Structure formats: structure tokens, C-alpha cells
């Protein structure tokens, strides 16, 4: 299934919808007893997921009025995550980004997956305009995948982690590289270099939609999904999710160690290899500018498009 958060006008509350990529069905209208937001659905995710899946399988959607997707404003699938942890899980990205700064690969990276907390209040959705921070001239995109937690847990073992995933979405972890570079010199961060914007979308794809590309493993599942980034229609980045070093199962186990995870928490994969300008080098085309259109496309997850506000 593909689920999203939508509204008709800017000031309305986002509502939960089920989509086929062309039409959207309001979940609370499909099932009058259901919550009308994605956050509400996630609070009892297994129950509502099963009912929605049954309706979809029995082809009951066409008996209900749908809304044209193009006529709606989409938010991030979870408009206000409970928390946002972003990991650093692709080896190629870590190696290349460090080498660009004249640094060797850090051996400790192989000991366990690492993450930082970012701003859960600064999420944007598909087609949203992104404001460039006033203090930066080195604005960058980051091509990532996020998973959303659908079942609470603490000390979740790797072999049970898949049970806690509600779905996956494309993630763009926007970065002000000049701010980031200065603050990490102090030994903390990234913080202000990251907390102005994160975009996610266009929808949340449930794991059953990815069975055909799943690569099972002892440390959790990987997925054979091509990942591409374009700036103004020009391809900048290309990678594959199967190349991730740490699986989402390992990330969830790490994040939940001695700490509860809750429905609506978002976990980012970190940047795929070649998935940002920092890694590619300024010679690729320079840092992002007002008016630039950035498209992140992940096979089976869709296309997430944003424009840098002029």
C-alpha cells in the first residue's frame, strides 16, 4: 500500500489518504471508525493496516469517491514525526565524503551504526519550497531512504526489527555545508547545518510492496532499488539501496538500545554513495541555488520533488 498525508488548502490539517499514484481515497471516509491522520493510524497500525490492505485486495476502493492526486497538497507522510534519527549507513558515502576533506576512513565506523538527532519539526513534503538558510552559500541535497516505526519497542533485536517498520519513503536531508563544517570542529553536531529542513515523501510504502526486490540476510533485509538524484533535470547521483552497509534492522536495534521507539518515529538511512554535492565535488555543478528543482527518485518509492525558494 501507499499512504500519504494530504490537504486541499494551505491552512487545513493534513488528512490520511490511501493512493494508487493517481487517485487518493480519504482513509476516514473509507472506514468511518478510523483516525483521520497518519499519526492516528500508526497508534494502532497493525489493526488499520490489515483493514486497509483487505479493502485494497478486494478492490473495494472504486466504490468510494476518490480525489485526483494532482489537485492536492501533499505533506510528508508523517507531518510531525515524534523523533528523527538519521544514520550514516552507506560505506561509499562515508569514505568519499571523508576523502574530499583529506581524511582517512574512520575504523570505528565499522563497529556499530551511528546516528544524530535532527529537527522533527522541520519536515516538508513533495513539491514543497525549501528555504535556504541566510547564513549559507553551500546548500546541498542528500539522497536517502527513511523508515517509519509502526510498533513501539525497546531493546529490539535485529531479527525482530522488521515487525516494527510501518513503511518506507524517500528522504532528503538538506544540508548547509558551510555551517556544518564549522560546527563539527567543536566536536558536536551536525545541528544548525541540518535543522532548517528535511523533506520526505511523496508517500509511505508498506513493506509488502517491496517483496519482489527484497534481499533477506542474517542482519536484516536489504532491497534492490535504484536511487537517483537530479538537479534541474540533470542526473547528479545514482546508487542502489542494496549497497547499504548497515540494514534498517541494525539501525532499529541500535536506536532502541535502552531507549523506547514509538509509532511515528522516523529513521533515515544516511546518504547513498554519490548522493550529495559534497561527495561529488563542486565541479559537478556547484551548490544549490534559488530556483533549482531537485528530484530524488527511488525505484518503487516514487519521486520526491522540491524547489529552492527564490
Amino acid at each position: 500500500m501507499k499512504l500519504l498525508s494530504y490537504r486541499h488548502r494551505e491552512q487545513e490539517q493534513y488528512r490520511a489518504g490511501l493512493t494508487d499514484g493517481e487517485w487518493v481515497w480519504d482513509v476516514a471516509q473509507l472506514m468511518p471508525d478510523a483516525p483521520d491522520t497518519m499519526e492516528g493510524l500508526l497508534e494502532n497500525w497493525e489493526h488499520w493496516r490489515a483493514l486497509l490492505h483487505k479493502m485494497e485486495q478486494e478492490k473495494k476502493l472504486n466504490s468510494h469517491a476518490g480525489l485526483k492526486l494532482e489537485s492536492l497538497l501533499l505533506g510528508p507522510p508523517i507531518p510531525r514525526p515524534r523523533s528523527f534519527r538519521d544514520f550514516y549507513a552507506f560505506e561509499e558515502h562515508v569514505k568519499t565524503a571523508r576523502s574530499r576533506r583529506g581524511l582517512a576512513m574512520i575504523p570505528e565506523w565499522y563497529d556499530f551504526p551511528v546516528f544524530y538527532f535532527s529537527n522533527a519539526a522541520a519536515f516538508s513534503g513533495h513539491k514543497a519550497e525549501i528555504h535556504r538558510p541566510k547564513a549559507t552559500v553551500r546548500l546541498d541535497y542528500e539522497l536517502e531512504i527513511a523508515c517509519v516505526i509502526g510498533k513501539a519497542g525497546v531493546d529490539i533485536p535485529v531479527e525482530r526489527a522488521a515487525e516494527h517498520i510501518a513503511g518506507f519513503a524517500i528522504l532528503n536531508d538538506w544540508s548547509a555545508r558551510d555551517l556544518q563544517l564549522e560546527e563539527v570542529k567543536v566536536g558536536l553536531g551536525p545541528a544548525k547545518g541540518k535543522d532548517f529542513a528535511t523533506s520526505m515523501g511523496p508517500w509511505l510504502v508498506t513493506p509488502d510492496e517491496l517483496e519482489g526486490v527484497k534481499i533477506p540476510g542474517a542482519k536484516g533485509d536489504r532491497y534492490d532499488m535504484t536511487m537517483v538524484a537530479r538537479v534541474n533535470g540533470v542526473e547528479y547521483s545514482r546508487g542502489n539501496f542494496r549497497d547499504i552497509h548497515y540494514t534498517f534492522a541494525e539501525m532499529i536495534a541500535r536506536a532502541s538500545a535502552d531507549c523506547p521507539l514509538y509509532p511515528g518515529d522516523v529513521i533515515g538511512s544516511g546518504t547513498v554513495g554519490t548522493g550529495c554535492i559534497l561527495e561529488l565535488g563542486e565541479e559537478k555543478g556547484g551548490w544549490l541555488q534559488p530556483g533549482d528543482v531537485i528530484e530524488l527518485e527511488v525505484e518503487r518509492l516514487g519521486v520526491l520533488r522540491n524547489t529552492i525558494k527564490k
Side-chain angles (χ1 to χ4, degrees):
M1 291 185 297
K2 298 180 180 69
L3 294 115
L4 49 73
S5 292
Y6 79 92
R7 57 189 180 189
H8 294 282
R9 289 175 291 276
E10 196 65 41
Q11 300 305 316
E12 292 179 341
Q13 176 179 293
Y14 285 114
R15 296 180 62 84
L18 179 66
T19 184
D20 63 1
E22 182 178 1
W23 294 91
V24 174
W25 292 269
D26 187 279
V27 169
Q29 292 179 12
L30 289 175
M31 302 184 298
D33 294 335
D36 59 5
T37 66
M38 283 296 298
E39 291 89 344
L41 291 174
L42 288 171
E43 288 298 329
N44 193 7
W45 175 240
E46 281 305 306
H47 172 71
W48 297 118
R49 183 202 62 79
L51 291 178
L52 284 167
H53 183 70
K54 183 178 179 181
M55 289 191 74
E56 191 177 55
Q57 292 297 106
E58 294 178 354
K59 302 188 184 301
K60 291 183 178 180
L61 298 180
N62 291 336
S63 63
H64 296 263
L67 302 164
K68 198 70 174 174
L69 177 65
E70 287 300 315
S71 69
L72 304 173
L73 298 173
L74 300 190
I78 314 301
R80 181 67 183 273
R82 283 179 179 264
S83 70
F84 173 37
R85 296 168 173 85
D86 206 7
F87 278 80
Y88 201 34
F90 284 93
E91 182 183 23
E92 181 185 351
H93 168 69
V94 180
K95 279 184 173 180
T96 307
R98 289 182 64 83
S99 68
R100 282 277 179 183
R101 291 175 285 154
L103 301 172
M105 187 59 175
I106 185 167
E108 290 82 359
W109 183 85
Y110 297 97
D111 293 341
F112 50 82
V114 295
F115 67 89
Y116 68 91
F117 282 98
S118 197
N119 189 354
F123 270 59
S124 298
H126 180 54
K127 295 186 178 179
E129 288 190 323
I130 304 300
H131 294 258
R132 183 173 70 169
K134 300 181 184 69
T136 188
V137 295
R138 296 183 178 182
L139 181 62
D140 202 354
Y141 68 86
E142 295 200 32
L143 173 56
E144 305 189 21
I145 293 176
C147 82
V148 174
I149 298 299
K151 177 183 175 183
V154 63
D155 293 325
I156 300 166
V158 166
E159 57 271 19
R160 302 299 297 271
E163 301 170 17
H164 295 260
I165 297 175
F168 302 95
I170 303 169
L171 186 81
N172 193 335
D173 172 37
W174 302 92
S175 299
R177 296 301 188 188
D178 33 10
L179 302 185
Q180 178 184 353
L181 180 63
E182 292 304 312
E183 64 190 359
V184 296
K185 291 178 182 178
V186 183
L188 289 176
K192 288 307 294 180
K194 295 281 191 177
D195 76 347
F196 59 95
T198 300
S199 48
M200 182 169 71
W203 39 63
L204 185 73
V205 179
T206 53
D208 56 284
E209 294 276 326
L210 308 181
E211 281 296 316
V213 293
K214 185 168 75 173
I215 305 170
K219 295 184 178 181
D221 301 327
R222 291 175 171 80
Y223 296 89
D224 183 6
M225 299 190 300
T226 301
M227 305 170 67
V228 177
R230 303 180 187 90
V231 178
N232 300 324
V234 177
E235 183 176 309
Y236 273 42
S237 306
R238 179 173 289 266
N240 195 296
F241 190 55
R242 67 179 174 229
D243 296 329
I244 200 164
H245 184 86
Y246 291 108
T247 66
F248 270 120
E250 291 174 285
M251 292 182 240
I252 288 170
R254 177 68 176 178
S256 69
D258 304 301
C259 176
L261 298 183
Y262 294 100
D265 285 343
V266 171
I267 292 177
S269 65
T271 309
V272 70
T274 79
C276 62
I277 296 171
L278 174 69
E279 190 178 339
L280 297 168
E282 291 183 58
E283 59 271 20
K284 178 66 181 181
W287 303 104
L288 300 177
Q289 300 297 322
D292 284 348
V293 178
I294 295 83
E295 290 183 326
L296 305 187
E297 181 173 2
V298 178
E299 188 177 356
R300 300 205 179 205
L301 299 187
V303 177
L304 175 63
R305 182 183 305 111
N306 296 106
T307 302
I308 310 303
K309 185 176 176 60
K310 292 184 178 180

